[in-house]
Amino acid sequence: MALSFHGAAPLAERMRPRTLDEVAGQYHLIGEGKILKKAVEMGQVPSLILWGPPGVGKTTLATIIAEAVKSQMYILSAISSGVKDLREVIDKCKYSGKGILFIDEIHRFNKTQQDALLAAVEKGWLTLIGATTENPSFEVNKALLSRCQVYKLDPLTKEDLETLLNRAVEKDVELSKRDIQLQETEALISLSGGDARKLLNLLEAVVLSNPSGKLLVTDELVMNTVQQKTVLYDKSGEQHYDIISAFIKSIRGSDPNAGVYWMARMLEGGEDIKFIARRLVILASEDIGNANPTALVMASSAFDAVIKIGMPEAAIILSQVVTYLASSPKSNASYTALHKAQSLVYEKGNLEVPIALRNAPTKLMKDMGYGQGYKYSHDYEGGFAEQEFLPEEIKGTSLYSPGNTARENELRTFLAARWKGKYGYNK
């Protein structure tokens, strides 16, 4: 949300804490005698990774730490920075004295980018402070992780958020000029999703939308003036599931325009590119399948590519795949076959493997008839010999029926020629 008082920074920036004592929450780390506060007071801050949800103070803590230990702070975003940017900062720290490098969303760095930090961190040329909303155990290279302390930041409590609201009304230069009373705060806190930055900017939007006179902030006022002006995307909330649902259904429905739009909504909201790529791989098999087998190849390649490339360029790759999948013929025949097979397994239990199909690695098994009657397909004309591969109790059961697309019709013709009407395979 870009609303702010004319000529002033947004409220969240104006109210950014300048000392550890001003920080709301995280008392397990910065309370009196706690580990991070002691490290700052001693001026011996190790390389560390701050892990926590959006808006709980990761960037603020990094800034306060750099100021407290009187160290030059360099800021990079993993979304827009590459190895070249990293090396420039490393060189500055190496030759001009130790500095602090803060990397926002460090989980978005690929392996090559993370590896570029190893020597600088290990040799102490700089102190790394990484911020991430994702579990670093999965998203940060083990080599880099072993060289850093990981501090988990907790979500802000309702009391923490109310403290921030009251502090803003009382102490902010702009808001304190108005007679503002916080009669209700539930809507502000709920809409913020626990994000302090979003909370304060929502409050500012309410004030700016009601520019004169005494202002009584109520839940109804907040909903009326803010909800329609705020594009919300909560990675762990209802919007997450609604938008990914719209995304998948748009591609399944062969609408590349809507597919790209919903993808852009997720990317702008900070969604993990691996989550998006993973869903595309699933969709390529579930909704396209043998109607266009290349779809799965492209989606799988894209998953590998976005991990290697990272943002922002990964968005280009995702857009290519989204438009290709949306423009592909659709079939869920193989997916349907799987569900039929799973239902049959559940219904019939563990049926015996036909004796002709059993492996016979020992003389005893051969004597018991294992493998007898099996026809080795390659010994027959066309590499095919008709025989039964299902258990006796369900022989002749049809599970897979190719869809009515060009490529699947080729599969149906192939199967019909082999099975001559069995399993419903007719040309």
Side-chain angles (χ1 to χ4, degrees):
M1 182 177 300
L3 291 174
S4 64
F5 287 89
H6 179 68
L11 177 61
E13 186 60 33
R14 302 199 302 271
M15 292 302 298
R16 187 182 292 276
R18 302 293 186 260
T19 67
L20 292 180
D21 292 336
E22 295 178 358
V23 175
Q26 316 314 327
Y27 306 113
H28 63 297
L29 296 176
I30 58 174
E32 198 60 42
K34 300 302 181 180
I35 184 168
L36 190 51
K37 184 166 187 177
K38 288 172 64 176
V40 172
E41 290 173 343
M42 295 172 63
Q44 298 179 349
V45 178
S47 287
L48 53 92
I49 294 176
L50 301 174
W51 167 31
V56 296
K58 297 184 289 295
T59 303
T60 295
L61 282 176
T63 304
I64 292 173
I65 289 170
E67 181 67 26
V69 300
K70 295 178 169 48
S71 179
Q72 176 68 44
M73 182 176 177
Y74 301 92
I75 301 176
L76 295 178
S77 171
I79 295 177
S80 57
S81 303
V83 173
K84 179 177 179 290
D85 303 298
L86 283 175
R87 288 174 177 162
E88 288 178 357
V89 173
I90 291 171
D91 287 342
K92 289 178 182 178
C93 293
K94 182 178 179 181
Y95 296 112
S96 64
K98 187 174 180 180
I100 288 179
L101 170 58
F102 175 69
I103 301 178
D104 194 19
E105 299 192 82
I106 193 171
H107 62 275
R108 292 179 180 262
F109 265 172
N110 59 36
K111 184 179 185 302
T112 300
Q113 291 168 313
Q114 291 186 27
D115 285 346
L117 290 163
L118 293 177
V121 172
E122 186 168 16
K123 295 180 180 180
W125 296 338
L126 55 77
T127 297
L128 171 67
I129 300 181
T132 178
T133 56
E134 306 296 332
N135 188 333
S137 299
F138 302 115
E139 306 297 341
V140 179
N141 292 350
K142 287 183 171 55
L144 182 58
L145 201 60
S146 68
R147 292 164 172 79
C148 300
Q149 298 293 321
V150 177
Y151 296 129
K152 190 174 188 307
L153 276 62
D154 292 336
L156 297 179
T157 65
K158 182 179 179 181
E159 290 72 22
D160 293 331
L161 297 169
E162 287 178 340
T163 296
L164 291 174
L165 289 171
N166 289 318
R167 184 186 298 169
V169 168
E170 294 170 5
K171 297 185 176 182
D172 176 67
V173 174
E174 300 295 338
L175 297 193
S176 61
K177 296 175 182 177
R178 296 279 306 277
D179 183 4
I180 301 173
Q181 295 183 23
L182 298 172
Q183 180 174 324
E184 296 173 324
T185 60
E186 189 66 34
L188 284 169
I189 291 174
S190 177
L191 286 171
S192 74
D195 185 325
R197 179 172 48 251
K198 185 180 291 185
L199 175 79
L200 294 176
N201 289 337
L202 286 169
L203 173 61
E204 186 169 33
V206 172
V207 175
L208 290 171
S209 297
N210 299 271
S212 61
K214 180 179 179 179
L215 181 60
L216 187 65
V217 178
T218 64
D219 291 343
E220 182 179 3
L221 176 67
V222 171
M223 297 302 291
N224 288 339
T225 59
V226 175
Q227 195 172 37
Q228 299 304 316
K229 299 180 181 179
T230 307
V231 177
L232 297 175
Y233 182 76
D234 179 1
K235 290 196 296 179
S236 60
E238 183 178 351
Q239 279 285 314
H240 166 84
Y241 297 104
D242 287 347
I243 291 183
I244 193 62
S245 176
F247 175 64
I248 296 299
K249 288 172 181 173
S250 298
I251 300 173
R252 180 185 295 142
S254 299
D255 188 342
N257 306 294
V260 171
Y261 170 77
W262 293 119
M263 182 192 74
R265 283 281 299 273
M266 288 188 285
L267 292 176
E268 289 302 312
E271 184 59 80
D272 183 0
I273 55 175
K274 288 186 289 186
F275 170 77
I276 298 173
R278 188 179 300 116
R279 292 305 300 261
L280 291 174
V281 174
I282 297 169
L283 182 144
S285 183
E286 177 181 345
D287 292 301
I288 298 175
N290 292 326
N292 179 10
T294 305
L296 180 56
V297 176
M298 281 193 65
S300 297
S301 297
F303 184 84
D304 293 335
V306 298
I307 294 175
K308 294 174 183 175
I309 300 300
M311 287 292 284
E313 291 84 356
I316 303 170
I317 298 166
L318 290 173
S319 183
Q320 178 189 352
V321 176
V322 166
T323 53
Y324 182 82
L325 298 186
S327 304
S328 291
K330 305 300 187 295
S331 172
N332 69 343
S334 57
Y335 179 67
T336 301
L338 170 64
H339 278 277
K340 289 180 179 178
Q342 289 173 327
S343 297
L344 202 54
V345 170
Y346 180 80
E347 177 186 345
K348 299 294 184 179
N350 297 320
L351 301 178
E352 291 287 331
V353 176
I355 197 164
L357 302 183
R358 299 185 191 183
N359 192 28
T362 67
K363 183 178 182 301
L364 175 61
M365 290 178 174
K366 290 178 182 177
D367 291 342
M368 293 175 63
Y370 282 27
Q372 291 180 13
Y374 171 64
K375 300 174 183 178
Y376 184 59
S377 298
H378 297 291
D379 288 342
Y380 295 80
E381 183 179 354
F384 176 79
E386 184 173 344
Q387 55 192 315
E388 185 59 64
F389 293 96
L390 286 171
E392 177 67 22
E393 295 87 343
I394 58 172
K395 66 180 182 180
T397 301
S398 177
L399 299 175
Y400 175 62
S401 177
N404 189 28
T405 65
R407 294 200 179 190
E408 288 177 294
N409 284 332
E410 292 177 6
L411 299 180
R412 180 180 289 102
T413 298
F414 172 85
L415 293 170
R418 296 301 189 272
W419 293 102
K420 300 181 177 17
K422 190 176 181 182
Y423 302 115
Y425 297 138
N426 297 303
K427 294 183 181 179

